[in-house]
Each structure stands twice: as structure tokens, then as C-alpha cells.
Amino acid sequence: MLRRTFRNVAVIAGLIERHHPGQEKTRRQVTVNSDLIYDVLRRHQPHHILLRATRADAAGGLTDLSRIAGMLERVKGRIVHMVLSRVSPLAVPVLLEIGRESVRSDADEEKLLAEAEAIIAEATGDAEPPPERGPDQGSGRGAGEGDPPEERHAPAGAGLAVLVMTAAPIHLAGERLMLDPAGALFWPATGALTVSDLHLEKGSSYARRGQLLPPWDTHATLDRLTLLLRRYRPRMVIALGDSFHDDDGAGRLPASELARLRTMTEAHRFVWVQGNHDPSPPAGVGGEWVEAFTTTTLTFRHQATPGAPDEISGHHHPKAAVPARGGSVSRPCFVSDARRLMMPAFGAYTGGLDVRDPAIARLFPRGGRVFLLGRERLFSFALGTLRSG
């Protein structure tokens, strides 16, 4: 309820614009962006005036708590409880409202995704056996430093047994790659960790144009990246373009965040792929800047090239909506087929483009699979089973 109320507060405060030049923003886009801002504010500035306004509006919105409290105070000591043999006519309006308002938590969405994944897989005969596991985990070298945590089985909601894993294996160009639920890609054979579309300093970029987003997006994004670096201990990090929201983004980094970034680039080989938001390499952040990063088997570039094989890209910020009981669940996702992989956006303030949009769909003409990001696992669906987000 607080998230939903915050959307209206964010629009009134000017954090969210319903209109872009030449087009109207959809309700789904507004939801995505306001939720991102809400999460960052709640973590870094829980007493912010907009959160206080949100709590006040929620208390007087769907449930007017102050009026209920006043009414109970007035009738205190004069309430007579009676057990009726049938529904009272005065209770009918209340009973008819049951189920009209639903408040869904992240845990509820995870259960719905697991249920939908299992039902669709069973109906289509698309259920996959657990991945084979051997001494080298199929990575071309022995298990050891830099290997992702092992997969494990665990029960999910609604009595369904699903494969729970911290990373999902896929194969591209004969290489085994691991998709992490945080939205990162790990290549065990080379020790390379890839993230895409960090959009650092997006908040300050919007602030320069008068849209005062909370200034915590870079901090939140680097926090998540730090956790991945500790977890995988990669030999190389590939940032797949749009690492900064604009060409001046690096220059606006707070000193503490620039120091954190420098520590990362000094501890690892850092490859910054240029994107459309940051086409000019910034000074002072460390690492090497390239238009595209090519290995003997795979090519890493910001924006996908139609028809190019064995390609890993970002740019589009893919997300997908999966039909579930009571509606649908929308999440950022990976998209893959036999020729390419598209990465989700990693930044704290990055929204998403539905995978059914022609800009993404044309890159996967023969279909493919999406891997929706969860808290501890990924949820895999065929592209054809999705609904419009």
C-alpha cells in the first residue's frame, strides 16, 4: 500500500513525469520508476519528507485510520457484540469489498513466479532436468576460486518443488556462462564478471534538469556491485556500456564513490564498453575503454547487432511480465537464444523495456528464453508464454 501511495506522491513532487516529449508515459513505466526511487529512499533516507507524506497519505487513503480511531473512542464502553445466524444487511457492502484490494509482497511474487514457471513447464513439456554436475562443474577447469555457489533443491510455495539456484547455467558459442539473480553474468572459464547499464549519477543528471531524484543511486548501485565482486572474486570485470548516465557523470561522482570505484578498477582488470549515454571515456576512474570487447568465442558490446552471432549485449533494459494468479508479475530479465544473450540493466534507477517490444523481439526472431530476476534464483520462461508488461 505504501508503494502505491508513493507513486502519487512522486508524481505530485515532480520526481516522476507522466509525459515525455511527444508521448505519454504508461502506468507500468510510472510504477517501475517510482518503485526504484521508493526502495532507494527507504534504504538511505527513511525519514525523508516524501516518505513521511506517503505514510500520512496511506493512513488516510484506503483506510482512514484517524476516523476509525475517533469512532472507536466515541463508542468505547458502549459496543454490544451479537452473534447473528446470517449476514447482516449492513455487512453486505463490507463483504463485497473482500478481495478487491490486494497487497502483494516480494515473497508472494516469488511464490507466484515459481508456481507459474512449474505450471507452464508441465503444460508445454518444457521442464528441464537439473544441470549435470561433475568435478569441474562443466567450466573447463577445476572448481575453486571464482566458481559460483552450487545449485541446490528447495521447496517453493504452493507445494511445488523447483530448482533453486544462486546462478543459472546457459551455453553460448560452446561456453558455459552463469546468470546471477542480481543481474550479472559470470564466465567461469575466464573469471570474467559482466554487468550492464549501471547509469551511475542518473539522479544528479535529472537534478540538473530540475527533476530532483534522491541522490543515492550511485551508492546503491556500487553497493550491489561490491557484493558481486566479493562473491565471485573475478579476474576481470566487463561493464557493458551506459556505465554513466551521461558524459559528465564521472565528474559528478562524490569523492567517496569515486574512491570506491577506483578501488574496484585497481583490484581487477576493468573493461568499460562505451555506450550511447557515455560514448567518451571519462578520466580518473581507471580501467580500459573499448567500443566492443571481443574474445576468441564471444563479443561483448553495448547495443546488439542484428544477425551477429555469439554476442552479449545490454542497452534495452529488458523486463518481462509473467501471467500469475491474480494478474501478472513483472521483473527485469535476461533474454537468450542460441546466438545471443541480452543483459538486464544493473543500475538502481534503471527502468525496463518489455521483451515483446519490437526493438527486442526482432533480435530474437526464432524465440528464446527469458530469465526473470528473483531474490535468490532466476525464473525461466519461453518468450511465447509472456504477456505484455
Side-chain angles (χ1 to χ4, degrees):
M1 187 162 59
L2 288 174
R3 284 180 183 274
R4 179 167 53 187
T5 305
F6 183 78
R7 295 172 206 162
N8 296 329
V9 172
V11 170
I12 294 171
L15 295 184
I16 299 297
E17 298 178 357
R18 286 190 180 274
H19 295 271
H20 284 307
Q23 67 178 40
E24 183 172 352
K25 206 172 190 181
T26 67
R27 178 174 294 274
R28 175 62 68 184
Q29 287 172 309
V30 171
T31 299
V32 168
N33 286 336
S34 65
D35 284 351
L36 294 172
I37 297 169
Y38 175 80
D39 289 338
V40 171
L41 261 185
R42 189 177 61 171
R43 178 177 180 183
H44 296 282
Q45 210 170 350
H47 302 297
H48 192 279
I49 187 172
L50 293 182
L51 292 185
R52 297 203 305 269
T54 297
R55 288 188 283 269
D57 284 359
L62 294 174
T63 304
D64 195 334
L65 298 182
S66 61
R67 292 182 62 189
I68 292 175
M71 183 271 292
L72 292 175
E73 183 64 30
R74 290 193 301 273
V75 301
K76 185 177 181 179
R78 295 185 288 123
I79 299 177
V80 178
H81 177 260
M82 297 183 63
V83 178
L84 303 179
S85 60
R86 58 187 177 83
V87 175
S88 164
L90 296 178
V92 171
V94 176
L95 293 176
L96 292 177
E97 289 296 313
I98 294 176
R100 292 280 298 274
E101 295 289 344
S102 61
V103 179
R104 184 186 295 170
S105 68
D106 288 342
D108 293 332
E109 287 194 350
E110 298 275 316
K111 292 177 182 179
L112 289 174
L113 282 172
E115 180 182 81
E117 180 185 51
I119 291 173
I120 292 173
E122 181 178 354
T124 61
D126 199 27
E128 298 180 358
E132 297 180 3
R133 293 169 53 192
D136 64 352
Q137 293 291 299
S139 65
R141 60 183 177 90
E145 182 174 315
D147 278 331
E150 293 184 353
E151 299 88 358
R152 65 190 187 279
H153 288 274
L160 296 170
V162 298
L163 181 65
V164 178
M165 57 181 70
T166 53
I170 66 166
H171 290 82
L172 184 65
E175 301 288 350
R176 185 174 187 266
L177 309 173
M178 306 299 295
L179 309 181
D180 190 279
L185 169 71
F186 185 67
W187 186 359
T190 63
L193 178 73
T194 302
V195 290
S196 184
D197 296 275
L198 306 181
H199 284 268
L200 300 176
E201 290 304 300
K202 181 174 183 177
S204 64
S205 176
Y206 273 56
R208 295 171 74 184
R209 304 198 299 269
Q211 193 172 346
L212 301 179
L213 297 180
W216 304 107
D217 55 308
T218 294
H219 187 84
T221 301
L222 293 184
D223 276 353
R224 296 176 60 223
L225 183 56
T226 297
L227 291 175
L228 286 171
L229 296 179
R230 290 174 181 171
R231 179 191 210 171
Y232 288 102
R233 292 173 288 178
R235 292 191 287 272
M236 176 171 59
V237 178
I238 304 171
L240 212 53
D242 285 0
S243 300
F244 295 91
H245 190 66
D246 55 53
D247 265 349
D248 298 327
R252 296 195 306 274
L253 282 170
S256 58
E257 306 303 341
L258 177 59
R260 293 176 72 191
L261 198 55
R262 289 285 304 182
T263 299
M264 295 179 189
T265 58
E266 290 169 1
H268 311 84
R269 181 188 177 190
F270 233 88
V271 178
W272 302 94
V273 176
Q274 294 164 228
N276 57 294
H277 278 263
D278 53 2
S280 303
V285 298
E288 56 191 275
W289 289 78
V290 297
E291 291 186 5
F293 183 72
T294 303
T295 70
T296 55
T297 53
L298 295 171
T299 297
F300 297 78
R301 60 168 55 96
H302 176 61
Q303 190 165 354
T305 301
D310 308 329
E311 177 187 78
I312 298 173
S313 65
H315 179 64
H316 288 294
H317 304 197
K319 69 170 185 176
V322 174
R325 285 186 293 115
S328 63
V329 178
S330 179
R331 294 281 179 87
C333 64
F334 296 91
V335 193
S336 73
D337 64 8
R339 297 173 61 85
R340 71 175 69 250
L341 170 70
M342 182 177 289
M343 301 273 295
F346 191 80
Y349 281 169
T350 49
L353 179 67
D354 195 286
V355 294
R356 293 161 56 111
D357 187 277
I360 296 177
R362 69 186 178 91
L363 297 168
F364 300 89
R366 299 184 179 179
R369 296 200 71 81
V370 299
F371 297 85
L372 273 70
L373 306 188
R375 289 184 302 174
E376 296 182 351
R377 58 161 294 193
L378 294 157
F379 299 88
S380 175
F381 299 88
L383 275 171
T385 63
L386 305 175
R387 65 172 51 175
S388 177

